[in-house]
Amino acid sequence: GAENLYVQLYAYNPKRDASGEMNLTSQPEILRGDASLASGAPEPMRGTPAAGPVPHISRIRLPRLEPGDYVLRVTVTDRNASAMVARSVGFTVD
């Protein structure tokens, strides 16, 4: 059966609108070289009114991965700030 990869991440300093709400989404993707093998749907990140980092757990369904090197890339979009940031980490399947 299909397997899932769960990624925990934190967004720091999201921009809040006049009512104090933030508008963040997170999207994970699995890459091999320049090819995208799988991507999760953009998910809203829910935060609290308190200051501090916004935690989020994202899930991506994994395709069957052959042995080799891959990259997990997570993109967070802050619509209030019209900004996007992506972070990547490599991993190997034996």
Side-chain angles (χ1 to χ4, degrees):
E3 293 190 31
N4 295 306
L5 175 67
Y6 293 88
V7 182
Q8 184 171 2
L9 58 116
Y10 295 86
Y12 291 85
N13 303 314
K15 184 171 182 178
R16 297 183 186 268
D17 63 18
S19 65
E21 296 296 316
M22 57 184 199
N23 189 346
L24 297 175
T25 59
S26 166
Q27 184 172 22
E29 187 174 20
I30 302 289
L31 305 164
R32 186 165 193 185
D34 292 332
S36 175
L37 303 180
S39 63
E43 300 174 330
M45 295 177 64
R46 308 270 186 241
T48 62
V54 180
H56 182 72
I57 296 177
S58 207
R59 177 181 69 96
I60 185 168
R61 288 178 61 93
L62 292 176
R64 179 167 172 77
L65 298 176
E66 299 298 324
D69 295 326
Y70 296 87
V71 171
L72 167 68
R73 178 172 64 200
V74 179
T75 303
V76 173
T77 302
D78 184 340
R79 289 192 172 93
N80 287 344
S82 298
M84 180 186 304
V85 65
R87 294 291 183 259
S88 300
V89 63
F91 67 95
T92 301
V93 174
D94 292 328

